[in-house]
Structures are given as C-alpha cells and as structure tokens.
C-alpha cells in the first residue's frame, strides 16, 4: 500500500509505485516552499494532503504534474521521472498518465457531458471506439446524463463529470485540488466517496489536496504540509 | 491612493493612443483640405496672366492650349514678353530665351517628346509656379517671337502681368474643379465617424475590471465625481500620448512635403505651415474629445448598465437570411427601376430596402456562424477532433462574439464598397474611353482652331509633314431646324480622291449608312453631308469646325500622328487624339474614385479594428475556458486549432455575407447603366482587410489561451 515518508533515507523502488516523490525541495527566492518532501503512492492507494493556505500544497501539486521543476529532488510517475523530462515529454506524461479534478470542475459548458468526458481522449488521440466505450461505462457508473449539455446539470453532476473526464484516459495517478470545495455537505460526501472508490477499483493512485478533514479521512493516509515539511497526520 | 495607472492595461492604452491619433488625423485632415485648396488657389492666381483691357499697356502676350504628352494632356503656355523688364511667370527664375521651353518636374520623363518639338528644354518650373507638384505644365517662348500679323487674333492674349483670378491655367489636378465639401464629406464618413467609434471602444476596454474597481470604491465611499475623475485620468495618459504623436505627424507635414501613397498626392509643407496653429489646436481638441468620451462612457452608472450580466444569446433565426435576400433583391430591382424612370419612389424604396438589408446583415452573420458551428461540431464529434467540437459547440451555443466580429466585417465590406460604387462611374468611364481610344488608335487626330480660317498651305503642310497617305477633312458640325425640330448635321469636306480613300462618296447620308471610321467621325449627327472640295476652315461662327487628319494606312499611331502635327501647327492649335478630352475627363473622375477608395479603405480598417477590439475581452474569455484542459493534457496546439477554426468561420461568414451582397448589388447597378464593375477590386481589398482583422482576433484568442494554459498552476482556477 502507500508508502509514506518525510524520510529521504528510505529506499523506494520506483517501478512499484504510481507516484514517487523523492526528497523534493523547492525555493522561491530565499523562501523555502518545500523542504525534503518524500512519499510514494502505490497503485490503487490514496493520500490526502492538508495544510494552511500558503503552506505549499499547490506548489507540490504543480511539481507532481511537471508544471514547475523542483529546486532539488525528483518526481517519478509509473517509473518515469517527470521532474527531469523535457517540457514536451512532461506534457505527454501529464496527458497520458495523470488525471486532474479541479475545484470548480472546469467543464466546457457548450459541450455535452459525454463530450466533456471524451475531450482528454480526443486530445491524446486515443482509439475513439475504446474511448467511447469507456466514457459510456463511466457515465453509467457515475449516473450521469451523457447527452445533456453541461450548462443544465447540477453541481454534483458537474463534479462527477469532471471525475469521469479525469479517468477517461485510464490514468495511473489522479490529482484532485480541493475537489469538494465548491459543493454543499451532502454533495461533498457523495463526491468524496466516488473520488476514492472508483480510482481504487481501476488501480489508479489518488493524491487529494483538501481543507476538508472529512474528505481527508477517506484517504488511506493523511499528511499535513507545514513550513515546507510533510508530516503524517495520523 | 488610487491612480489612473492602476486601471491601465496594454490593449486599452494602445487602442486609445491609436484612436486619439486617428481622431486628430481626421480633424487635421479637414484643416489640411482647406489649406491645400487655399494654397493651390493662391499659386494659380499668382501665375495667371491678367488680361489687358482696352487702353491698358500690355507687357506680355500669351496663349494656352492642351497638348498630348506621354499619353496624357499637358498645359502648354506660350509666352512672349513685350517689355523686357517684365517679371517672368512664378516658378521661373528668368524669362526663357526665344526658342526655349521650361517644363514642370512631372514632365521630365517625357522630355524627349518636348525637347526639339516645342523648343529646347532650358529648365524646370519651380514649386511656386505649380498648383501641385504633379502638375503637367510647359512654358514655351516662340523662337521667332510673335509675327506682327499674329499679334492679334490666333489665340494670343495681351496681359498686363501675372496675378489674375482667371483659373484657366489650372490643369491636371483632380480636385481642381471639385468643391472641398466633397472631400470633407469623405473625411467625415470614412475617417471621423470610424475614429469616434474607435475612441468609444478604446476607452471602454477592460470594462469588467473597471466595474469591479468602481463597485469596491463605491462601497468604500467614493463619490461619483471621484470615480469619473479616475476614468478621466486613466484616459488622459494615452490620450496625451496620442496628441503628442499627432502633433509630431502634423509637425512633420509642416516641415516637409508628404506624399500620400495610393492617390499619388503631395501634401505641401508650405500649405500646412499656413494652418500650423489650427492644426495644433485640432490635435489638442482630439485629446480633449477622447477624455470627454471616457468621462461619459465609463461613468459609474453607465458602466454598471453596460456591464450587467449578459442576457440570453440572440436567437439568429434562419428566416432572417431570406428577409435580407428579399431586401437586396428589392434594392436591385429598384436600382434598375430608378435608373430607367428616375422615379423618386423607386429611389426611396432602393434606399429603404438597402438599409433594411444592412441592418439585418449582422443577424444573418449570427445565423451563419451558428449553422457553421453546428456543422463543424458534428464533423468533429464523428471524427474525434476536439478543436472542431469545442469551437463548433461554442459557436452554436454562444455565437454572439463571433457574430459581432463577422457582422462588423460584413457591414464594412458591403457599406464601404457601395459608397465607392456610387462614385465609381469615372473609373469605368475611363475604361470605356481608353477602349475607344484603343479602337481608333492610329486612325486619326483632330486639329482645331475655332473662329480663325485655315489657309490651304496649312493643310498642305499637314499632309507633307505627316505621311503621303494622310487625308485631311474639314469637319463642320451645326444644328439645323428641319420640320420644327433641331437636328445635328455634320459636313465632311475633302477632295473626291481623298474621300474615296476612306470609303466616302459625296452626297447626303445617314450615319448608319457609313463605314465604321466615317461613322465615328460623325458621332452624334443625325445626317452627314459629304462634300468634295478643299478642307479649309471658314469664317463661320454658326458651325463648330476642325480639321480631321485621317491616317487610313495605319502607318502611324495616334501619338505619333499627334507628335508630327505638334511640330507643324501653330501655337494655339489644339491637337487631339480620338476621344482624348473624354479620356482626360474620365481620368480625372477615376482619380477621384481613388480618393474615395483610399478613404474608404482607411475607414473600413478603423471600423474593423473597433469591431475586433470591442470583442477583445470576450475572445480572451473563450480562450481561457479551454486552458485548464490543455494545461493538464499538455495539448497546447488545441488553442491554435480552435482559434483557426473560429477565425476561419468568422472570416468566411463576413466575406460571404458582405461580399456576396456587395457583388450582387454592384452588379445590378452595373447592369442598370451606372457602371460599378471596378468596385470588385475594392470588395476584394475590403475582404482582405476583414481576413486580417479576424486573423488578429484569432491570434489574440490563441495567445491568450496558450498563455493561460502555460501559466496555469493548481489553486489558480479563479484567475480569469
């Protein structure tokens, strides 16, 4: 299951993990944002990262996604080091192996639910028939109105659509940034359940950044990011 | 403290600077028109000889004729001083010696056609002697002076000096005989109005940010006056930059002559210096207008009203396209009808139906954009092409932004081209005149000297001086009363042998019974009398008469024939090619159309810039929506493809809707007798401008999306 560390000395075999963050530090000017952060997430496992605003959660997500390069350390996704890859390769890894769920779903309102879900598969030039079948499966499992416009669906449906979109390319890692922040309590509960359950069934690792303790508790492990250090919460 | 600087953004600043500059340009252009007219009038008056009246002492003699040089007409002024102390004409440093000629700089190219024919070219006419730098004028001092027998009559006029109000010397300038109101109207329609539109758009750019700022400041207790002051200060800086730029451009035009490309006109620094302070004031007024517009258009209440959450997208029903088609069909019908009957009702219906068509054109664009969106989206969904699906669905669901850009383009193409069409007669007239000239090139030339008899030896000289096969006819045209109605009778006189050379037999004929060439020589006549006899010009004031020098063998071109005649005939004798006066007049009209087209293209460009800038923010919003997806997927090319698809659809819509309407209506106008075929080139140019404008908008969409995607980081979802 999930290996946890702020322990750089611990040896982690890269090919066993969906995500391996190894001794990552990041500085902006003289300010240390992340300081020797290390952890690993195995396939199907999940972790939640909590922390105050400005604690470096978003920076950590950015580094994992390959959007910014760490000052030191490395990030490996499914055996391939994203932190040292070229810009083009980083984009390819993001597109093929990572799914992202945004706080506000970020659906394209003019598209139907199914088209929103299919969009990443079109962008990565996946087999259209395979993608369509997977989209139909996700729509059925998540109880979505596939042919309806994204403008007319509820907040919960929007977030479920965003989850389906993140999973359409069968990623090895799902990143969620405050995925329930814009939902009310009832919808938050349902969304959190899907967020952890469905990826687990497909062997997708989940890293979720949240302020919500109830959502964080659903993860296999909870961490707190404070002063650049990642510590285990429980 | 809140300052104007806080609301500044690059697009608004640049657009406001440009708008101020253009507004100042429209003001100073109006002033420049008057300055140019005044300057030309003054120079023309200064160089025009003052005709001596009875009892006044003449100091010089002159006569003025038009002769062909380099395929166009030029003014030839024959001058001879009587008193050696008389000042030479303005622009000439000294009197040319007998047998010398002085030519204007624009005729330097054709020096070989003048040197040795009229005399020896001894110099150039200076700027003070030219109404415009491109004027074609030649001063000729006869080699042998004026024979005593010719000192009166034969076109020589005695003068007391230069500086008369007679404008007969002006020639070759398109605006010479046009009132300045015409060009002022063009400036008003094509420069001032679009510039004002651009000013309004420019100062309102960034309205979302402005609204947020005003709301916050109002909540903190800012007064409306304070908020207006903020907007004024925000607009003042770019307006001031625009004024400084405008003053710089105007200053340059005061220091050096400025050539206006496209119309081939020189704006003279001397003319502009005469209105220096008015021009400077106009630039300042333009800046003040921009600031005033900002104060009104960006006032807090106005801003809230204008930036309320947008309502539903317009419906753009398909039947609007049919309504517009019917409206333009009616316009075409009424254009033909009004040309045929001159009926005011038909003209009113034409105007009304055309206005309806123009007014509904943006809605047609909306319908077309939405339909294209549906089509593109279905193709994209079938082929898994995200750019087609994303753009097509957006065009289908929210076509307003794209429809506005396309609608602006379509209206600009249609409106500007139709305005140009209404004044394009001259250009087509020129084509017809040139075609007629080409048809009769090398066949004949005419020599005219009204009211003075031509002796036989002149005719003999013409024959011997041109070619052995040349035939000289006397052509007389007069109105005669026959059975209570007036008819034009043309008499062609020449020896029988000469007449037969060109297929004529003595007798009375109808023009239709004659061969092509004689029929052309008698154009406009109801009857033609062919008389065997010597072709002398007679003392007959009732008859308009000239000598027609026919070259039946075709061994000489018309210009060669004219050049040969120019060496033979006396000063004051007018030598013309077939339809030459028509050509000169049509060329002048055609040149006027170039001014209209020139201003039209400037106006169209400004309107398109205003249209694109009006939707600048909305286009950026569209691009930002997809940036999250591309940021995560790394497929940044999606932005370029989406922008290309949207830009392509917008451009096609504008060109198709505006261009087809313009081509159709100008075609109908053409068929109804008022030629409009030359408008096609203008339509093409306008369509090109529309494509450039939509490309700029697409580029903005692409860059905004790409920037948003590459700069996106987790936790920055609300940065749009």
């Amino acid at each position: 299951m999930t290996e946890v560390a702020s322990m750089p000395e611990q040896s982690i075999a890269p090919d066993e993990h969906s995500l391996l963050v190894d001794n990552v530090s990041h500085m902006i000017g003289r300010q240390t944002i992340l300081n020797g952060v290390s952890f690993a997430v195995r396939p199907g496992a999940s972790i939640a990262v909590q922390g105050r605003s400005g604690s470096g959660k978003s920076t950590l997500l950015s580094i994992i996604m390959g959007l910014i390069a760490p000052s030191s350390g490395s990030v490996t996704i499914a055996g391939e080091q994203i932190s040292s890859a070229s810009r083009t390769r980083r984009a390819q890894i993001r597109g093929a192996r990572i799914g992202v769920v945004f706080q506000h779903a970020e659906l394209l309102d003019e598209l139907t639910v199914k088209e929103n879900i299919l969009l990443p598969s079109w962008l990565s030039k996946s087999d259209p028939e395979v993608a369509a079948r997977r989209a139909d499966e996700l729509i059925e499992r998540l109880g979505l109105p596939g042919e309806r416009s994204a403008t007319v669906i509820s907040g919960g449906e929007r977030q479920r659509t965003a989850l389906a979109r993140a999973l359409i390319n069968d990623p090895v890692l799902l990143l969620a940034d405050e995925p329930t922040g814009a939902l009310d309590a009832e919808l938050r509960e349902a969304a959190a359940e899907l967020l952890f359950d469905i990826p687990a069934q497909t062997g997708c690792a989940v890293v979720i950044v949240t302020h919500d303790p109830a959502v964080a508790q659903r993860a296999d492990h909870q961490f707190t990011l404070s002063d650049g250090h990642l510590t285990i919460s429980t | 403290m809140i300052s104007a600087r806080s609301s500044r953004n690059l697009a608004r600043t640049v657009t406001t600077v440009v708008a101020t500059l253009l507004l100042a340009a429209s003001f100073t252009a109006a002033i420049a028109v008057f300055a140019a007219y005044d300057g030309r009038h003054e120079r023309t008056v200064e160089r025009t000889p003052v005709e001596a009246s009875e009892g006044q002492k003449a100091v010089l003699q002159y006569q003025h004729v038009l002769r062909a040089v380099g395929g166009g007409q030029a003014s030839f002024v024959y001058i001879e001083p009587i008193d050696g102390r008389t000042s030479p004409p303005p622009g000439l440093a000294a009197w040319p010696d007998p047998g010398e000629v002085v030519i204007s700089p624009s005729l330097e190219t054709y020096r070989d056609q003048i040197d040795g024919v009229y005399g020896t070219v001894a110099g150039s006419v200076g700027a003070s002697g030219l109404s415009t730098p491109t004027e074609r004028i030649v001063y000729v001092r006869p080699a042998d002076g004026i024979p005593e027998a010719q000192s009166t009559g034969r076109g020589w006029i005695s003068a007391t000096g230069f500086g008369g109000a007679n404008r007969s010397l002006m020639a070759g300038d398109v605006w010479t005989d046009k009132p300045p109101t015409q060009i002022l109207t063009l400036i008003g329609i094509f420069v001032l109005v679009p510039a004002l539109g651009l000013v309004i758009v420019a100062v309102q750019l960034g309205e979302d940010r402005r609204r947020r700022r005003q709301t916050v400041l109002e909540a903190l207790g800012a007064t409306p006056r304070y908020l207006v002051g903020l907007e004024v200060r925000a607009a003042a800086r770019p307006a001031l930059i625009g004024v400084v730029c405008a003053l710089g451009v105007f200053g340059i035009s005061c220091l050096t002559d400025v050539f206006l490309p496209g119309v081939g006109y020189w704006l003279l620094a001397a003319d502009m210096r005469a209105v220096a302070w008015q021009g400077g004031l106009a630039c300042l007024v333009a800046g003040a207008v921009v600031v005033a517009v900002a104060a009104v258009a960006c006032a807090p209440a106005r801003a809230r009203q204008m930036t309320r959450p947008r309502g539903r997208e317009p419906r753009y029903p398909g039947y609007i396209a049919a309504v517009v088609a019917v409206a333009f069909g009616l316009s075409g019908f009424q254009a033909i009808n009004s040309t045929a009957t001159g009926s005011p009702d038909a003209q009113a219906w034409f105007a009304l139906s055309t206005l309806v068509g123009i007014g509904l054109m943006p809605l047609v664009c909306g319908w077309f954009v939405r339909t294209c969106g549906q089509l593109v989206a279905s193709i994209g969904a079938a082929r898994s092409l995200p750019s087609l699906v994303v753009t097509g669905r957006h065009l289908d669901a929210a076509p307003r932004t794209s429809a506005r850009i396309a609608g602006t383009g379509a209206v600009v193409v249609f409106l500007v081209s139709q305005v140009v069409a209404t004044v394009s007669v001259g250009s087509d007239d020129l084509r017809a005149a040139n075609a007629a000239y080409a048809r009769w090139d090398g066949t004949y030339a005419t020599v005219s000297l009204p009211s003075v008899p031509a002796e036989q030896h002149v005719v003999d000289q013409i024959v011997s001086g041109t070619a052995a096969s040349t035939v000289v006819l006397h052509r007389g045209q007069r109105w005669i009363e026959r059975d209570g109605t007036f008819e034009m009778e043309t008499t062609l006189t020449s020896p029988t042998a000469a007449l037969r050379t060109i297929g004529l037999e003595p007798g009375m004929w109808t023009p239709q019974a004659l061969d092509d060439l004689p029929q052309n020589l008698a154009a406009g006549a109801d009857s033609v009398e062919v008389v065997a006899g010597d072709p002398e010009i007679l003392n007959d004031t009732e008859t308009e008469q000239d000598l027609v020098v026919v070259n039946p063998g075709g061994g000489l071109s018309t210009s060669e024939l004219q050049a040969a005649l120019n060496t033979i005939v006396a000063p004051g004798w007018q030598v013309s090619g077939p339809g030459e006066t028509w050509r000169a007049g049509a060329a002048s009209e055609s040149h006027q159309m170039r001014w209209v087209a020139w201003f039209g293209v400037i106006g169209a460009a400004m309107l398109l810039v205003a249209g694109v800038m009006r939707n600048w923010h909305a286009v950026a919003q569209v691009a930002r929506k997809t940036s999250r997806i591309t940021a995560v997927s790394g497929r940044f090319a999606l932005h370029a493809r989406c922008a290309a698809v949207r830009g392509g659809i917008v451009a096609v819509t504008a060109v198709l809707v505006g261009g087809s309407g313009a081509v159709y209506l100008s075609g109908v106008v053409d068929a109804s007798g008022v030629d409009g075929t030359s408008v096609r080139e203008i339509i093409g140019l306008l369509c090109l401008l529309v494509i450039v404008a939509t490309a700029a908008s697409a580029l903005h969409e692409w860059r905004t999306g790409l920037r948003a995607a590459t700069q996106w980081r987790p936790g920055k979802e609300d940065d749009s």
Side-chain angles (χ1 to χ4, degrees):
Chain A
M1 299 306 289
T2 308
E3 297 286 342
V4 179
S6 281
M7 300 173 287
E9 67 278 8
Q10 183 173 338
S11 176
I12 303 167
D15 54 354
E16 294 176 17
H17 303 100
S18 296
L19 169 67
L20 174 65
V21 177
D22 189 10
N23 199 22
V24 165
S25 296
H26 191 68
M27 295 182 73
I28 297 176
R30 291 180 178 179
Q31 188 183 359
T32 301
I33 308 298
L34 299 174
N35 190 359
V37 172
S38 295
F39 64 90
V41 188
R42 293 184 191 279
S46 60
I47 67 165
V49 179
Q50 294 178 279
R52 288 177 302 174
S53 294
S55 61
K57 300 190 299 294
S58 295
T59 303
L60 178 61
L61 274 187
S62 297
I63 289 172
I64 292 172
M65 292 172 74
L67 293 170
I68 55 176
S71 301
S72 64
S74 66
V75 176
T76 306
I77 293 173
E80 185 168 2
Q81 201 173 93
I82 191 171
S83 52
S84 61
S86 68
R87 190 177 168 189
T88 306
R89 184 59 196 151
R90 291 202 307 265
Q92 286 170 345
I93 293 170
R94 258 199 320 274
R97 300 185 181 176
I98 302 176
V100 179
V101 179
F102 305 96
Q103 181 177 357
H104 295 289
E106 302 294 345
L107 301 183
L108 297 185
D109 287 342
E110 300 81 27
L111 271 57
T112 63
V113 166
K114 187 175 180 181
E115 285 168 345
N116 266 294
I117 294 169
L118 280 168
L119 190 54
S121 72
W122 291 338
L123 288 168
S124 60
K125 298 185 171 60
S126 305
D127 185 321
E129 287 183 16
V130 173
R133 271 201 304 275
R134 180 155 173 77
D136 288 337
E137 283 172 22
L138 288 165
I139 285 169
E140 193 179 334
R141 287 178 70 181
L142 294 167
L144 290 167
E147 299 307 320
R148 292 183 74 179
S149 166
T151 51
V152 294
I153 60 175
S154 67
E157 286 172 329
R158 289 179 74 82
Q159 207 58 2
R160 295 207 303 273
T161 304
L163 175 60
R165 183 179 63 187
L167 296 172
I168 186 69
N169 279 343
D170 203 9
V172 296
L173 176 64
L174 180 72
L175 300 176
D177 187 13
E178 298 285 2
T180 58
L183 301 177
D184 60 33
E186 191 179 343
L187 288 174
R188 197 182 306 151
E189 187 70 16
E193 189 175 337
L194 290 169
L195 199 60
F196 290 105
D197 289 355
I198 292 187
Q201 290 166 20
T202 59
C204 175
V206 177
V207 174
I208 186 168
V209 168
T210 181
H211 280 109
D212 188 340
V215 173
Q217 279 175 2
R218 286 182 170 275
D220 297 329
H221 299 277
Q222 297 95 46
F223 297 96
T224 301
L225 195 56
S226 177
D227 297 329
H229 295 279
L230 192 70
T231 54
I232 195 159
S233 303
T234 55
Chain B
M1 181 185 168
I2 302 289
S3 72
R5 192 182 289 259
S6 66
S7 69
R8 196 172 59 181
N9 63 59
L10 188 62
R12 188 190 193 206
T13 302
V14 171
T15 313
T16 307
V17 168
V18 172
T20 309
L21 185 59
L22 291 171
L23 191 63
S26 66
F27 290 162
T28 51
I31 290 169
V33 169
F34 286 110
Y37 267 79
D38 287 348
R40 275 180 298 180
H41 179 70
E42 276 176 29
R43 286 187 291 278
T44 307
V45 167
E46 286 301 311
R47 73 172 184 207
T48 302
V50 182
E51 197 170 336
S53 55
E54 193 83 24
Q56 279 188 307
K57 186 191 175 191
V59 297
L60 62 99
Q61 285 188 296
Y62 80 99
Q63 59 176 308
H64 169 227
V65 290
L66 295 173
R67 291 276 173 88
V69 177
Q73 287 187 320
S75 285
F76 279 75
V77 185
Y78 290 83
I79 47 171
E80 181 64 33
I82 297 171
D83 184 342
R85 289 168 298 177
T86 306
S87 300
L92 271 62
W95 283 98
D97 290 333
E100 285 186 342
V101 297
V102 182
I103 61 176
S104 60
S106 63
L107 290 172
E108 281 291 345
T109 317
Y110 310 109
R111 179 185 270 255
D112 60 321
Q113 295 180 29
I114 299 167
D115 197 28
V117 178
Y118 298 94
T120 306
V121 175
S124 291
V125 182
S128 61
L130 300 170
S131 66
T132 64
T134 53
E135 194 177 29
R136 296 156 65 94
I137 190 167
V138 180
Y139 284 102
V140 183
R141 187 166 178 194
D144 305 321
I146 306 172
E148 188 63 29
Q150 293 188 8
S151 61
T152 56
R154 289 194 182 279
W156 288 100
I157 300 167
S158 298
T160 58
F162 298 98
N166 181 354
R167 302 183 70 181
S168 61
L169 287 190
M170 291 186 76
D173 194 319
V174 64
W175 292 106
T176 299
D177 300 314
K178 303 291 180 190
T181 48
Q182 280 196 356
I183 196 165
L184 287 176
T185 306
L186 287 178
I187 291 170
I189 294 172
F190 287 137
V191 186
L192 180 60
V193 171
L196 276 172
L198 191 58
V199 166
I200 293 168
V201 168
V203 298
Q204 288 184 339
L205 282 175
E207 62 186 43
D208 285 356
R209 192 179 300 176
R210 180 168 56 251
R211 181 183 55 170
R212 282 200 294 270
R213 189 181 66 239
Q214 288 182 344
T215 305
V216 170
L217 291 175
E218 268 190 314
L220 294 173
T223 63
R225 174 180 281 194
Y226 177 84
L227 295 176
V228 168
L230 208 60
E231 298 309 323
V232 165
R233 272 181 285 164
R237 183 185 296 268
L240 187 63
I241 297 170
V243 168
V244 170
C245 292
L247 283 170
V249 173
F250 182 73
I252 290 170
S253 73
C254 289
L255 294 173
T256 181
D257 296 346
V258 176
F259 181 70
L260 304 181
V263 286
Y265 185 79
W266 281 93
L267 198 59
L268 297 181
D271 294 346
M272 299 304 286
R273 277 197 294 272
V275 291
W277 73 265
Q278 294 96 324
L281 186 63
C283 295
L284 295 175
V285 168
V289 168
V290 171
V291 172
V293 169
V296 174
C298 304
R302 174 89 175 140
R304 269 199 301 279
Q305 187 187 0
M306 293 185 67
T307 55
R308 282 182 305 201
R310 289 187 171 85
R312 294 169 63 132
E313 287 281 334
R315 285 182 55 240
Y316 301 123
Y319 66 81
I320 290 291
V323 174
V324 171
V326 170
F328 284 142
L330 186 61
S331 294
F333 172 75
Q334 295 299 349
I336 296 168
N337 194 18
S338 68
T339 304
T341 64
S343 158
D345 286 350
Q347 289 171 3
W349 275 110
F350 169 76
L352 183 67
S353 52
T354 304
L355 282 175
V356 168
I358 292 171
L360 295 178
M361 209 175 250
L363 296 181
V364 176
C365 289
W367 168 77
F368 196 85
V369 162
R370 173 173 273 169
T371 306
C372 285
Q374 291 166 349
L375 183 68
V376 160
S378 62
I379 293 171
R383 300 188 179 182
S384 302
L385 296 171
S387 55
L388 296 188
V389 176
V390 170
T391 310
R393 288 275 186 255
H394 185 260
L395 290 176
D396 180 23
R400 188 204 320 247
T401 301
S402 299
R404 278 200 301 217
I405 298 173
T408 305
V411 169
V412 163
V413 169
F414 182 85
L415 201 58
V416 174
S417 63
Q418 291 313 298
V419 171
V420 173
T422 58
V423 287
S424 68
V425 184
S427 180
D428 295 294
D429 206 27
L430 179 61
R431 288 178 193 186
N434 284 340
Y437 186 86
R439 166 75 178 84
W440 301 109
D441 186 26
T443 54
Y444 72 93
T446 58
V447 179
S448 57
L449 179 58
S451 76
V452 177
E455 298 86 348
Q456 180 59 41
H457 71 89
V458 175
V459 177
D460 294 340
Q461 277 181 357
I462 289 173
V463 173
S464 62
T466 50
S469 59
T470 300
V471 174
V472 180
L473 294 101
H474 170 266
R475 178 170 62 180
Q477 290 181 307
R478 59 179 181 150
W479 291 98
I480 57 169
E481 188 177 1
R482 193 169 286 160
D483 300 330
T485 58
F486 282 92
E487 291 181 354
M488 164 88 65
E489 183 181 270
T490 296
T491 307
L492 299 172
T493 307
S494 200
T496 306
L499 290 173
R500 285 182 179 156
T501 310
I502 56 172
L504 283 173
E505 287 289 343
M508 285 295 293
W509 307 91
T510 60
Q512 293 77 15
L514 302 176
D515 291 343
D516 280 355
L517 177 60
Q519 197 177 110
N520 184 57
L521 296 179
D526 297 296
S527 59
V528 182
E529 183 181 13
V530 180
V531 179
D534 289 331
E536 285 185 66
I537 289 185
L538 308 170
N539 264 328
D540 179 4
T541 56
E542 299 283 308
T543 306
E544 193 179 318
Q545 48 186 334
D546 54 16
L547 295 175
V548 182
V549 183
V550 183
N551 178 37
L556 297 169
S557 69
T558 296
S559 57
E560 287 170 334
L561 188 60
Q562 283 178 277
L565 288 169
N566 285 340
T567 61
I568 299 165
V569 300
W573 291 53
Q574 192 93 17
V575 179
S576 308
E580 194 166 284
T581 308
W582 181 26
R583 280 179 86 203
S588 177
E589 288 292 325
S590 177
H591 194 192
Q592 184 188 358
M593 190 216 148
R594 284 168 63 192
W595 278 91
V596 177
W598 195 67
F599 278 118
V601 169
I602 290 172
M606 279 197 281
L607 286 170
L608 286 170
V609 169
V612 168
M613 294 311 296
R614 174 77 182 85
N615 296 285
W616 199 247
H617 183 68
V619 165
Q621 290 284 63
V622 170
R624 286 193 189 101
K625 286 178 74 176
T626 45
S627 64
R628 307 288 180 270
I629 310 300
T630 52
V632 172
S633 67
R635 306 288 172 175
F636 299 126
L638 180 69
H639 292 291
R641 294 194 183 114
C642 286
V645 172
R646 189 188 316 279
I649 288 174
V650 170
V652 165
T653 303
V655 167
L656 210 62
V657 175
S660 61
V663 167
Y664 163 71
L665 212 53
S666 62
V668 171
V669 171
D670 178 25
S672 68
V674 185
D675 249 337
T677 48
S678 55
V679 179
R680 303 274 166 88
E681 293 151 26
I682 300 298
I683 294 171
L685 187 58
L686 292 169
C687 289
L688 192 64
L689 282 178
V690 168
I691 291 168
V692 170
T694 50
S697 182
L699 195 66
H700 175 55
E701 180 185 340
W702 168 63
R703 285 196 64 231
T704 306
L706 190 62
R707 191 186 302 146
T710 52
Q711 292 179 352
W712 177 82
R713 299 288 179 269
K716 291 175 72 179
E717 274 79 7
D718 292 322
D719 61 349
S720 63

